[in-house]
């Protein structure tokens, strides 16, 4: 069952989907909040996040997916997407899931969603249980990657074969993006976003690298448990291949592997 609804404050309502069992069953108190990546990745990963939410929800753990304010079916225009706004959205979404019966929250962020989620959790005092799926942890590198892909799509990918196309001011990858969002994201370094002591982070990745290692070391030094689970390399998405930039990304085995672990069918 997936029940669509709107929640939040008047004038700033968010669109959400609550995934769970059709039949009423006693709950464990657990709830999962899924955070979608930003800009084009949010569109491309829609099916994968839907499938993951459905799988976890069908196991009896209420799972909430939502659109950030200024994206999808939530209120606001794309130029109104801000870092402070995303932190507010996370507060609203977590309160909504608790209001609907969850007593223990688990968080999952895919790719760029790791940055606003970690910034949000670093401001809280209670330990958090977090899964970071293929996270992007360096804000400056993230923004530069977006800008590079934007240039490639305009001039090198063959998208505009018979004419030279120039984007409008403030356009990035087909979205209107305020410079303040890019500046605030560029200033984020996840290794410096220290979660409360006692938090637990699981990183589901296709390959470890120096950025992930540095993040893990810094969090562990602050009393946070960090584990890494390697996903099957053969289905690693080609996120940045220009010719595939508009296609859906749905790594089936990774979705199944995550769902099994998040519902404790298979240990981490």
């Amino acid at each position: 069952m997936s029940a669509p609804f709107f929640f939040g404050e008047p004038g700033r309502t968010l669109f959400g989907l609550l995934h769970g069992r059709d039949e009423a069953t006693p709950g464990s108190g657990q709830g999962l909040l899924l955070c979608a990546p930003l800009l084009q990745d949010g569109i491309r990963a829609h099916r994968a996040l839907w499938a993951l939410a459905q799988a976890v929800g069908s196991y009896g753990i209420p799972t909430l997916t939502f659109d950030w304010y200024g994206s999808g079916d939530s209120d606001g225009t794309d130029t109104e997407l801000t870092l402070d706004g995303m932190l507010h959205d996370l507060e609203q979404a977590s309160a909504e899931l608790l209001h609907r019966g969850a007593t223990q929250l688990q968080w999952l962020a895919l790719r760029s969603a790791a940055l606003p989620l970690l910034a949000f959790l670093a401001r809280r005092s209670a330990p958090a249980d977090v899964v970071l799926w293929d996270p992007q942890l360096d804000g400056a590198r993230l923004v530069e990657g977006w800008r590079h892909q934007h240039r490639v799509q305009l001039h090198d990918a063959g998208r505009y074969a018979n004419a030279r196309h120039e984007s409008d001011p403030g356009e990035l990858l087909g979205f209107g993006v305020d410079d303040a969002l890019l500046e605030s994201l560029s200033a984020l370094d996840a290794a410096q976003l220290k979660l409360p002591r006692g938090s637990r982070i699981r990183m589901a990745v296709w390959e470890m690298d120096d950025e992930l290692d540095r993040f893990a070391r810094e969090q562990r030094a602050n009393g946070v448990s960090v584990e890494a689970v390697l996903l099957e390399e053969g289905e690693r998405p080609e996120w940045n291949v220009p010719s595939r930039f508009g296609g859906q990304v749905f790594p089936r085995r990774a979705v199944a592997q995550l769902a099994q672990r998040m519902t404790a069918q298979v240990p981490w």
Side-chain angles (χ1 to χ4, degrees):
M1 176 190 72
S2 297
F5 65 100
F6 289 93
F7 65 97
E9 303 166 347
R12 194 186 170 86
T13 58
L14 305 177
F15 175 77
L17 277 170
L18 187 64
H19 306 259
R21 285 181 175 169
D22 291 327
E23 72 276 11
T25 56
S28 65
Q30 292 181 315
L32 173 63
L33 186 60
L34 294 188
C35 304
L38 308 177
L39 304 188
Q40 187 69 20
D41 281 353
I43 297 174
R44 299 178 69 196
H46 178 80
R47 186 182 177 194
L49 288 177
W50 172 282
L52 178 58
Q54 284 284 78
V56 175
S58 67
Y59 198 77
I61 298 174
T63 301
L64 177 61
T65 58
F66 69 98
D67 293 337
W68 304 102
Y69 180 80
S71 71
D73 292 310
S74 292
D75 277 351
T77 63
D78 48 6
T79 56
E80 295 179 279
L81 182 69
T82 67
L83 178 59
D84 285 342
M86 286 187 282
L87 304 187
H88 185 76
D89 295 346
L90 289 166
E91 188 69 55
Q92 294 294 306
S94 58
E96 183 66 26
L97 194 50
L98 291 169
H99 175 71
R100 290 174 177 265
T103 57
Q104 296 176 310
L105 293 187
Q106 189 175 31
W107 311 76
L108 182 144
L110 174 59
R111 287 188 53 83
S112 56
L115 285 169
L117 177 60
L118 292 171
F120 171 75
L121 296 174
R123 299 185 178 190
R124 294 160 64 97
S125 58
D129 187 358
V130 186
V131 176
L132 302 178
W133 183 9
D134 196 21
Q136 295 173 291
L137 302 174
D138 183 327
R141 183 182 297 178
L142 168 68
V143 171
E144 179 50 40
W146 284 343
R147 287 173 168 154
H148 173 73
Q149 185 67 247
H150 184 79
R151 293 191 294 269
V152 170
Q153 291 298 316
L154 283 178
H155 305 304
D156 302 324
R159 187 177 293 273
Y160 304 101
N162 299 315
R164 183 173 179 83
H165 179 75
E166 297 297 339
S167 59
D168 295 329
E171 182 184 344
L172 185 60
L173 297 172
F175 295 83
V177 178
D178 190 89
D179 286 343
L181 172 64
L182 302 179
E183 292 170 4
S184 57
L185 288 174
S186 293
L188 293 180
D189 174 5
Q192 303 305 314
L193 297 172
K194 303 298 178 60
L195 267 59
R197 186 172 296 272
S199 294
R200 180 172 64 166
I201 299 174
R202 275 77 59 87
M203 299 187 298
V205 297
W206 280 276
E207 182 182 15
M208 290 295 292
D209 58 23
D210 291 343
E211 182 179 292
L212 295 170
D213 283 333
R214 184 172 73 90
F215 171 75
R217 287 196 305 271
E218 293 291 338
Q219 294 295 336
R220 287 171 182 149
N222 197 50
V224 174
S225 170
V226 183
E227 309 164 59
V229 172
L230 293 180
L231 303 169
E232 293 188 34
E233 180 66 25
E235 65 165 8
R236 184 177 187 174
E238 296 178 315
W239 292 103
N240 297 318
V241 174
S243 62
R244 301 184 180 182
F245 192 68
Q248 278 289 307
V249 172
F250 185 35
R252 297 173 185 272
R253 292 189 296 276
V255 169
Q257 188 175 346
L258 279 170
Q260 289 172 343
R261 282 160 173 76
M262 297 178 75
T263 56
Q265 299 176 67
V266 174
W268 282 93

